[in-house]
Amino acid sequence: MFTSFSFFSHQLFAQPIDEKATIETKSLYTFLQQSLQKGILFGHQDDLAYGFNWQYKKGESDIKSVVGSYPAVYGFEISGIELDAENDIDGVPFVKNLKFIQQAYERGGIITISWHLHNPLTGKSAWEAAPGTVASILPGGNNNSLYNGWLDKVARYFNTLKGKGGEYIPIIFRPFHELNGNWFWWGRAHCSPDEMKQLYQYTVHYLMDVANVHHLLYAYNTDKFHGLEEYAERYPGNTFVDIVGFDIYQQNNKDDEFIKNCRTMLTDLDAFALENQKIPALTEFGYNTIPNEHWWTNTFLPAVKDARIAYVLAWRNAGVKHDGSKEYYVPFKGENSAPDFLQMAKSGLFLFQNQLNYSKVYQLFSHK
Ligand code: BMA
């Protein structure tokens, strides 16, 4: 007699794919499952490093300037680590990111990391595809040892992420994001489903079994998709994934379309997550420069309010870029949509940092 109750308890007993996951990582995993019943954790990329019109100001955060609390989830990026760069692709020094990650972790914040890794065949950016790239880095390919070296660097960086007690800081790692789009070298047009699955599996296997990194939860995430067949086409399998999600951005003034598409995909995601016993999340979203000042309560809230997702991650507030264009996805003090964002925050659907603390997130199990 498997009722929805037994399903729920079953969910809570599910474990991270890594049997050797650290106790803090297991705790985070269980916390994420529990939070599915409580609300949606609100996240923001590069929240602590910079905002629309500031950079590296102690204690600053655009989210905090609007709602009075830091976000619950903090996104970071490691593109550049593979080439021994000092700064990530968006100019933030890795040593600074380390400090921000530690600060967020100490207060019970949740860390997720993306990797716009360069093209290993050409050395160019993630956006520059070249035929044969994926095959070249898989075992047997000419660049396999180069790729192993990149994974060693990633592992080394992850191993520097430690809390005050010397324990590793759990990370939700989401490699090869938006893998059904065509803009990255690992995209749909540039490798077969089988190659993509192998690359994902190999990456997880290498980090977990070769590099011995045991403080990661792995997120599989597509871009927008049309139906479950597309969603699952490149899924590496249940033993390689902890969290399932997708990225979605609104473009132009098509609020109704955004709501409709988002709701359809969230329904599909929910079915996929239930079937495979994974934690669903909206791994990236946004409407650049938020042209509609009521976007939060009129569009975003209706799009996600009925969804069962652990968290949402808004993309970065880059501010005014070199070419004069603006890029930001959450309001900052004085920005047009700030009052509406605050109203959405007050709906109670979303959880921010002030509703979390270290023991709630990372100490659900005690050390023996
Ligand atoms: C993109 C933009 C870029 C950025 C990249 C990696 O979506 O925000 O400006 O360099 O992500 O973070």
Side-chain angles (χ1 to χ4, degrees), residues 49-64:
Y50 56 83
F52 181 75
N53 48 19
W54 59 272
Q55 213 184 12
Y56 312 136
K57 266 170 110 182
K58 199 160 188 271
E60 193 72 352
S61 147
D62 279 348
I63 292 281
K64 194 174 87 173

Side-chain angles (χ1 to χ4, degrees), residues 145-355:
S145 57
L146 173 88
Y147 185 58
N148 291 346
W150 286 13
L151 292 174
D152 288 334
K153 291 176 194 188
V154 169
R156 218 171 296 142
Y157 181 66
F158 286 166
N159 284 340
T160 64
L161 308 176
K162 288 183 180 174
K164 287 195 178 118
E167 78 289 6
Y168 292 119
I169 299 176
I171 304 296
I172 300 172
F173 185 40
R174 51 179 195 106
F176 311 117
H177 65 298
E178 303 177 356
L179 50 76
N180 62 331
N182 292 328
W183 41 93
F184 296 129
W185 58 258
W186 57 86
R188 197 178 192 188
H190 315 299
C191 60
S192 69
D194 219 47
E195 284 173 331
M196 184 63 239
K197 286 183 202 173
Q198 281 181 46
L199 179 58
Y200 203 107
Q201 292 165 353
Y202 183 77
T203 302
V204 173
H205 155 72
Y206 193 95
L207 290 173
M208 205 152 80
D209 307 325
V210 181
N212 262 306
V213 178
H214 300 295
H215 52 294
L216 304 181
L217 297 177
Y218 292 89
Y220 165 83
N221 84 265
T222 65
D223 195 66
K224 49 185 175 328
F225 59 96
H226 307 279
L228 275 178
E229 203 178 311
E230 180 178 347
Y231 188 78
E233 188 195 51
R234 282 149 200 262
Y235 184 65
N238 284 340
T239 50
F240 297 91
V241 172
D242 295 298
I243 291 168
V244 290
F246 64 89
D247 297 359
I248 185 168
Y249 286 87
Q250 181 172 330
Q251 256 126 25
N252 309 320
N253 243 335
K254 299 180 175 165
D255 300 74
D256 290 346
E257 203 176 298
F258 180 84
I259 297 173
K260 189 168 153 267
N261 291 343
C262 203
R263 287 177 66 91
T264 305
M265 285 181 248
L266 286 166
T267 305
D268 281 347
L269 180 73
D270 190 30
F272 188 85
L274 283 175
E275 190 186 326
N276 295 287
Q277 293 192 22
K278 300 298 170 191
I279 299 170
L282 185 56
T283 39
E284 265 184 45
F285 78 92
Y287 186 14
N288 192 17
T289 71
I290 323 160
N292 166 356
E293 66 182 66
H294 295 292
W295 190 73
W296 300 102
T297 57
N298 280 352
T299 309
F300 188 62
L301 193 57
V304 301
K305 73 177 179 10
D306 300 318
R308 200 182 62 98
I309 34 178
Y311 67 87
V312 296
L313 182 82
W315 201 239
R316 67 196 199 100
N317 277 14
V320 182
K321 301 206 283 193
H322 294 307
D323 61 3
S325 66
K326 290 179 184 163
E327 186 182 7
Y328 61 91
Y329 300 89
V330 299
F332 43 90
K333 206 178 171 85
E335 192 271 338
N336 282 345
S337 76
D340 192 58
F341 187 88
L342 185 58
Q343 202 183 321
M344 178 187 75
K346 286 183 178 157
S347 74
L349 179 68
F350 296 100
L351 305 172
F352 291 84
Q353 179 71 77
N354 56 2
Q355 283 141 294

